[in-house]
Each structure stands twice: as C-alpha cells, then as structure tokens.
Amino acid sequence: MATKIIIDTDPGVDDTIAICMALRSPEVQVLGLTSVFGNVKGEVTAQNALRLVELEGHGDIPVARGSDLPLFSRFEMDGAVVHGEDGMGNTHPPTPRGKVIERTAAQFIVDTVRANPGEMTLLAIGPLTNLALALRLDPGIAGLVKEVVVMGGAAACPGNMTPVAEANIWHDAHAADTVMAAGWPLVLVGLDVTQKTVMSAQFRQELFRADNAAVRFIEKIIPCYVQFADTVYRMDGGIYTHDPSAMAYIIRPDLFSTRSAPVFVETEGRCIGQTVADWQHQWEARPEVKVCLDVDSAGVLALIRERLTR
Ligand code: BDR
Ligand code: CA
C-alpha cells in the first residue's frame, strides 16, 4: 500500500524537484501540500504549491496555505537570491487555476492525521512553523503519525545560513525545537547528507534529455539556483540535493545511515538555529530522533533521475 504523505513546503527550486518526484512515485500517495513562508513570502509559496500540483495534472490535490511568519521572530527573506524573487528562478510562471482550501495548513495537517491514524508521513521541506502550529492545535497527533521526515539541520557539519544553522531550522528555530521535542517518530535529513549528494552539470544535462512537463519546468527554473551555488560555493555547475534527498528517504530509507539522539535547537543568540544532537545524553531527557549521517549519494541520484524521467 502506498504511504500517505503531506508535503509541507516553501517552493522553491529544490522543493519543486522533491514535489515532482513525489507526484511521480507509486510508493507514495500525496494527500495534500501545505505551504509556508521560507524561500520567499508565504503568499508566493502558496501560489507556487498550486502551480506544482497542476504541472502534471494533479490539480485535485488540496493545497492549504500556512504561516507567513515564524512563531516569535521576524521573517528575514533571503531565499530570493537562491530561488528567485518568485521562488521559481525569476521565470514568473502563469497564475495557477486553482485556489488554496479554506482551512489553514495546521488544521489540514491535524484533520488529515486524525482521519488516517498511524498512516500519515509528514514530509517537511521548509521552516517548521506549520508543524509546530499543528502540534499546538492538537498535541495528540504526535502519537498518530507514521513518520515525520524533515529536511533540516546540520548535526555534525557547518550550517548554510550561519556557521552553525541550516536555513529551514534557522527560519523558525522555536518551531523547530517544538518539532524536535514532540516525541513523534522523526528523521532529520540535514546538510550532513544533503551536501554529500551533488547534482552535477552532467547529471542535469542527462536529466534534461527527458521530455515531460516536470523536467521542462525544472530545466527552466534551475539556472538561478545553479548560479547561486557557483557564486557562493564555487561548485563548478553542481548543486546540493536538499529537499529531494528527504523525499528519497521516504522511498528508499536504506540509502541512508542514521544514528539516534535527542536533538535540541538553539533559540537565541548568535547560534540561533543550531541543531545540537545530544549523542551522550548529557542534557535533560528528550525523545530521540533519527539523524541521517551518511548516504549512498549515487543511489539517491539514480532514484531522482529514474523518477523524473519515467
Ligand atoms: C533548505 O533551504 C531552502 O533553501 C531549500 O529549499 C531547502 O529546503 C536547504 O537548507
Ligand atoms: Ca525547501
């Protein structure tokens, strides 16, 4: 039976790749997308989520709009330089036909988990505000989800937003700490593994030989993302595989090595957004989460290629 998932997302170039993979994977059934501020403003990510379900004819999948702001801090929009002002590489795609549903993202998550006890996987590939708000509405959902897969954090490597913080966690550190402490079965697919998997220029060239709406769209929006990686990381045409790695985990967890530990998120000061894995249990008790520490990168890339070109 296919795994039922909700994708909580701030699209976003790499979110787009992850969502296209999900919608082309028979192992998962996408019950909805929930949008959140992050790479760009909330009103833009909601429109992008609608565009992405419509891209290959899935306009019947509901999109619920989520938070425009972090729980307590200010939203500092900085993803535009990475993903474009429109989150779609400054290509300004046409207005989507559909509309977001009336319910908030948090309410949609609660209702869907309650309606499918023990069956829902939440794939979170943006800031964790909607998940924290869902827990606030109904803490009982923590015991009812099958799994929460989060693209976020940097447990044993430097951050990408600051020397210690990864972007999704940094954008709403308070929400992230709530999500880490909730006691649900959670997996962190962080920079420890997403930066080990690089989509090279050659990989993309081969990918773009396929002819379908998803690949054509990704080819169009990706140059801005590649240029950022070239300028900032000097990656010679390569790009890190953040959100698609988390999607790959849902289909092929065997491609990842994990270690369990309680994870704490720093919520103030210079190190805000740092994910601290308490490997030795030296701090106060907190439920453990699984932290991905290694990955079969070739396996992840092969899976992405296969899903986008099938
Ligand atoms: C994460 O931040 C965003 O820019 C990406 O979409 C990804 O979710 C990587 O740190
Ligand atoms: Ca994202």
Side-chain angles (χ1 to χ4, degrees):
M1 205 176 67
T3 301
K4 295 176 180 175
I5 71 170
I6 292 174
I7 308 178
D8 189 65
T9 176
D10 61 338
V13 174
D14 61 328
D15 302 71
T16 297
I17 302 173
I19 291 164
C20 289
M21 275 176 79
L23 293 172
R24 295 170 141 261
S25 292
E27 299 89 343
V28 300
Q29 183 189 358
V30 182
L31 296 199
L33 263 55
T34 50
S35 65
V36 63
F37 76 93
N39 288 322
V40 284
K41 287 182 190 160
E43 62 195 79
V44 182
T45 58
Q47 290 295 295
N48 288 342
L50 288 167
R51 288 186 173 101
L52 292 173
V53 291
E54 289 173 9
L55 183 61
E56 290 196 300
H58 299 282
D60 55 321
I61 293 178
V63 174
R65 181 167 169 182
S67 194
D68 289 345
L69 294 170
L71 293 183
F72 301 115
S73 40
R74 277 187 307 128
F75 170 40
E76 294 178 38
M77 192 174 114
D78 37 45
V81 62
V82 188
H83 300 264
E85 293 290 336
D86 57 357
M88 301 275 104
N90 292 321
T91 58
H92 302 288
T95 307
R97 285 185 298 280
K99 299 254 177 292
V100 295
I101 62 171
E102 290 287 323
R103 276 174 292 167
T104 63
Q107 190 64 56
F108 178 78
I109 291 170
V110 167
D111 293 348
T112 312
V113 170
R114 285 274 167 200
N116 298 275
E119 293 184 6
M120 290 306 305
T121 292
L122 306 179
L123 171 63
I125 53 177
L128 294 170
T129 319
N130 291 338
L131 269 61
L133 289 172
L135 285 166
R136 198 187 269 179
L137 277 178
D138 183 352
I141 61 168
L144 295 174
V145 298
K146 181 177 172 202
E147 196 165 45
V148 182
V149 178
V150 173
M151 189 283 127
C157 69
N160 58 358
M161 186 56 78
T162 75
V164 296
E166 181 279 328
N168 286 340
I169 305 295
W170 180 87
H171 270 302
D172 194 344
H174 295 90
D177 196 52
T178 300
V179 168
M180 296 307 142
W184 46 13
L186 186 142
V187 185
L188 265 188
V189 185
L191 301 182
D192 305 274
V193 290
T194 66
Q195 292 191 344
K196 284 185 179 148
T197 305
V198 173
M199 291 190 238
S200 65
Q202 190 188 340
F203 172 86
R204 295 197 307 278
Q205 205 176 26
E206 285 163 18
L207 183 70
F208 297 154
R209 283 200 203 119
D211 193 17
N212 60 59
V215 161
R216 286 287 77 79
F217 189 72
I218 293 164
E219 183 178 19
K220 194 165 169 194
I221 67 173
I222 216 164
C224 173
Y225 197 72
V226 175
Q227 197 188 337
F228 175 81
D230 263 345
T231 312
V232 175
Y233 303 124
R234 310 246 170 249
M235 288 180 68
D236 195 23
I239 50 173
Y240 293 132
T241 308
H242 298 305
D243 296 344
S245 293
M247 184 55 220
Y249 180 91
I250 293 179
I251 305 172
R252 291 284 310 274
D254 58 299
L255 296 174
F256 296 80
S257 313
T258 63
R259 185 174 166 195
S260 295
V263 168
F264 295 80
V265 179
E266 184 55 68
T267 52
E268 50 191 32
R270 197 176 168 99
C271 293
I272 190 165
Q274 181 174 17
T275 40
V276 181
D278 182 10
W279 305 116
Q280 314 285 353
H281 293 260
Q282 288 158 300
W283 287 350
E284 72 270 21
R286 172 175 278 200
E288 292 191 338
V289 305
K290 281 188 197 167
V291 182
C292 291
L293 290 178
D294 210 353
V295 59
D296 172 352
S297 306
V300 170
L301 290 171
L303 179 63
I304 295 170
R305 182 190 299 115
E306 193 270 322
R307 288 310 144 105
L308 294 179
T309 58
R310 56 167 46 203

